[in-house]
Amino acid sequence: QVQVVESGGGSVQAGGSLRLSCVASGNRVSACRNDMSWYRQVPGKEREFVSVIESDGSTRYTESVKGRFTISRDNAKKMVYLQMDSLKPEDTGMYYCKVDFRDGPWYASCSGERWGQGTQVTVSS
């Protein structure tokens, strides 16, 4: 069974920094090639993509966070991080970690995705 747990959220003033962490547990995380992503959501709006780091280390960011956020991963620890600098009030939201399973050995069931429960980030002006 795969579990995804985020941490590191909090309240900061504009211009401040936070580092989010996400740990994924379960045998499938080690056995399967996977991508790890961050999304965010504010009440009344759809969940939006923030950043992804693929199994080969390739990264992508939504335009609004480029140059301010940095995603990284530690495969040995099954963790992904999101370093958020120069935070703005519009970065406020619930941040979710997602693991997408791509491929791997036939016995590992390498498909589907798992979401965490989220960690709240609040940036005040």
Side-chain angles (χ1 to χ4, degrees):
Q1 192 79 327
V2 176
Q3 287 190 323
V4 179
V5 180
E6 305 95 335
S7 62
S11 297
V12 296
Q13 290 192 327
S17 298
L18 283 174
R19 189 192 192 212
L20 305 184
S21 299
C22 168
V23 60
S25 61
N27 293 333
R28 241 199 307 171
V29 180
S30 299
C32 305
R33 191 170 63 91
N34 62 78
D35 302 338
M36 303 183 84
S37 310
W38 289 97
Y39 286 72
R40 63 188 179 192
Q41 187 172 25
V42 296
K45 291 190 175 182
E46 291 189 357
R47 194 170 296 186
E48 66 168 354
F49 167 79
V50 176
S51 182
V52 62
I53 184 164
E54 299 181 357
S55 58
D56 64 357
S58 302
T59 60
R60 284 183 284 116
Y61 300 89
T62 191
E63 194 63 35
S64 63
V65 309
K66 284 182 180 178
R68 300 188 298 119
F69 290 12
T70 303
I71 192 170
S72 60
R73 66 189 288 167
D74 184 331
N75 290 328
K77 295 182 179 179
K78 303 178 187 178
M79 295 192 71
V80 62
Y81 308 96
L82 187 67
Q83 177 66 42
M84 305 187 295
D85 299 318
S86 302
L87 282 161
K88 303 176 180 180
E90 51 262 45
D91 294 318
T92 293
M94 184 70 77
Y95 281 69
Y96 296 90
C97 177
K98 183 180 74 157
V99 181
D100 285 283
F101 297 100
R102 296 304 181 193
D103 56 44
W106 61 269
Y107 54 82
S109 301
C110 296
S111 63
E113 63 187 32
R114 286 293 183 271
W115 290 87
Q117 294 299 305
T119 185
Q120 178 67 37
V121 171
T122 303
V123 184
S124 58
S125 57

